[in-house]
Amino acid sequence: MASSRRDLAVRAAVDQGLLSAAEPVVALLDTAGIRASAAALTSAFAAVTDAHVLHAFAVKAAPLVPVLRLLHEAGLGVEVASPGELALARAAGVPPAETVLDSPAKTPAELRQALALGIAVNADNLQELARLDALVASAPTASPLGIRVNPQVGAGSIGALSTATATSKFGVALRDEGARKAVVQACLERPWLTRLHTHTGSQGVPLALMAEGVGEAYALAEEINHAAGRQQIDTLDIGGGLPVNFLSDEETPTYAEYARLLADTVPGLFDGRYGLVTEFGRSLLAKHGTVLARVEYTKTSGGRPIAVTHAGVQLATRTVYAPDAWPLRVLAYDAEGRPRTGEVTVQDVAGPACFAGDLLATGRALPLLHQGDVVAVPDTGAYYFAHHYAYNSLPRPGIHGFTVTGNDAGDGSGVGSEGGNGSGNGSGSGNGGAGDDAGDAGVVAFTTVRKPQTLAEIVAESGGALADALVG
């Protein structure tokens, strides 16, 4: 069970000093869980189609080179949306043929680089197609080229993440007057335009709406191919966006559910005529990340207990600013990393930043937290600790992958190249061993994914070498 591995990892992180008074916040990644999610994705689509499917991980969800390497070793490519994300993917060794470039604001230089490398490109709009016209004419390219369309099927429960609304900034809006006809004509005029891209899903979007968006893109591909008298559109990039359950350890919905829904509602998608690309991100990583933070102080205000921790807005930015849309669970452990027991008490769990709203949880029922305890924030493997918000110049935490070996290690038993001796896997130094009474429950080995940010690095990034720039 992932929860069992998490409990072992919390205890080991305390025992081995990854979490300490000197390093009061740390992030953990369950590598066995990540591998399991990648396998679930690939098997879900393999169960409904024999067509070629490139599963391209959305780098924005976890822009960490060791994570991209791990997913690539598990059979996934990448979807990138900036020069920085492309640089990370290349550093991870992901080949151009397994890389897709999306973005609503690609520069000529970005497009030129992608075409030179042979990276697949999805144009966002008709003006971008005009840029591609010139680039394709100037030099040959092996890049598969497509255009993104907005099916305008509606919003999910989080407006800021709904990409298929009537006024979304992404893609060509198919239901706008004349837009569909313009897309068909643009494809007929460009024999090299062989892909359609859509992305309807994201957190808060139900599976049925996601499938409806994919169905609209499929219908457009059929229309274009009929008008062309041949199969010009040969690949459909259906995006990603499988929502994540943040309320429990249960992993719902599943990739298998979504793949079966697509097979039922858009059967032609899987009949072998079209290659497929997916772009899942959050759903691959979220459940496999946990933030650990020490409770620095406890107090009461207005009669309500407050635990002041070192994890707040700098890590859980979305949760702090939009707690109703992005709720997170908080788990209580004692100072030695054991699950805390005792009478459940309604309390607040606060972060370290200097504003009143920096709260991980408000009025949450938990065993009463004490000074020196540890709080764990699960489901944070995507869009949380890898997207630092430098409020108060708080440092980025260290990130460590972990594996568990032993008799009761759960579904990740024996998985991972780090092994139990702490030798590491090349992404950072490893720390071996287990908690003193973990015993047969499992041995936890950590390896560094990203080192903690130092104060010197904060100063350097903040113009430390240019102190006299404005007064000289």
Side-chain angles (χ1 to χ4, degrees), residues 89-470:
R90 298 189 73 187
V94 183
E98 298 174 26
T99 303
V100 180
L101 173 63
D102 298 322
S103 165
K106 306 180 201 70
T107 66
E110 289 175 62
L111 292 170
R112 192 175 298 109
Q113 180 189 28
L115 267 58
L117 291 171
I119 290 169
V121 176
N122 289 316
D124 178 78
N125 54 68
L126 298 177
Q127 290 180 357
E128 189 173 336
L129 280 185
R131 283 185 174 176
L132 286 172
D133 284 336
L135 293 171
V136 169
S138 67
T141 180
S143 292
L145 301 175
I147 185 167
R148 179 169 181 169
V149 296
N150 172 13
Q152 294 176 292
V153 294
S157 62
I158 304 175
L161 293 190
S162 296
T163 60
T165 63
T167 56
S168 171
K169 74 176 187 178
F170 294 104
V172 179
L174 286 183
R175 297 183 184 180
D176 283 13
E177 185 177 356
R180 189 183 191 96
K181 181 179 179 181
V183 171
V184 173
Q185 187 60 36
C187 290
L188 296 179
E189 292 171 357
R190 297 169 174 83
W192 43 264
L193 199 57
T194 60
R195 293 186 170 193
L196 288 181
H197 173 219
T198 191
H199 176 78
T200 301
S202 199
Q203 192 66 22
V205 176
L207 297 192
L209 194 63
M210 293 172 61
E212 184 180 350
V214 172
E216 291 291 328
Y218 169 78
L220 179 60
E222 294 283 272
E223 181 179 341
I224 292 168
N225 289 341
H226 178 75
R230 63 185 181 87
Q231 186 160 353
Q232 177 172 337
I233 303 299
D234 60 21
T235 301
L236 288 169
D237 184 333
I238 63 173
L242 192 76
V244 169
N245 166 27
F246 286 99
L247 301 179
S248 74
D249 281 327
E250 188 178 5
E251 295 190 40
T252 56
T254 66
Y255 294 119
E257 289 174 55
Y258 182 46
R260 287 195 299 268
L261 178 62
L262 288 175
D264 290 340
T265 57
V266 198
L269 188 69
F270 296 133
D271 66 9
R273 292 177 298 132
Y274 292 98
L276 297 173
V277 178
T278 72
E279 299 176 356
F280 295 100
R282 180 182 295 106
S283 54
L284 283 161
L285 265 294
K287 303 299 285 186
H288 311 306
T290 303
V291 170
L292 305 183
R294 282 171 51 90
V295 176
E296 195 66 46
Y297 300 110
T298 58
K299 55 186 176 180
T300 60
S301 184
R304 178 181 289 176
I306 301 172
V308 181
T309 80
H310 289 272
V313 71
Q314 84 277 28
L315 305 178
T317 313
R318 286 175 167 174
T319 294
V320 168
Y321 285 123
D324 292 337
W326 296 100
L328 285 173
R329 293 179 290 148
V330 177
L331 308 177
Y333 295 79
D334 66 20
E336 294 185 339
R338 299 185 181 94
R340 177 160 282 291
T341 59
E343 183 178 353
V344 171
T345 304
V346 174
Q347 55 198 299
D348 292 349
V349 182
C354 290
F355 77 102
D358 186 23
L359 296 165
L360 285 176
T362 303
R364 191 69 58 85
L366 295 166
L368 185 63
L369 290 162
H370 299 78
Q371 186 177 27
D373 277 359
V374 176
V375 296
V377 189
D379 307 333
T380 48
Y383 294 104
Y384 278 93
F385 49 70
H387 294 71
H388 191 72
Y389 176 40
Y391 203 106
N392 286 147
S393 296
L394 292 165
R396 291 189 296 269
I399 302 173
H400 304 273
F402 71 87
T403 57
V404 180
T405 56
N407 292 342
D408 297 310
D411 59 0
S413 178
V415 178
S417 59
E418 296 94 332
N421 61 7
S423 60
N425 66 358
S427 62
S429 60
N431 303 299
D436 55 30
D437 63 358
D440 291 339
V443 177
V444 180
F446 293 102
T447 188
T448 302
V449 173
R450 187 185 70 191
K451 294 180 180 179
Q453 187 180 28
T454 66
L455 295 181
E457 288 170 336
I458 292 175
V459 172
E461 291 179 3
S462 300
L466 305 169
D468 293 330
L470 301 179

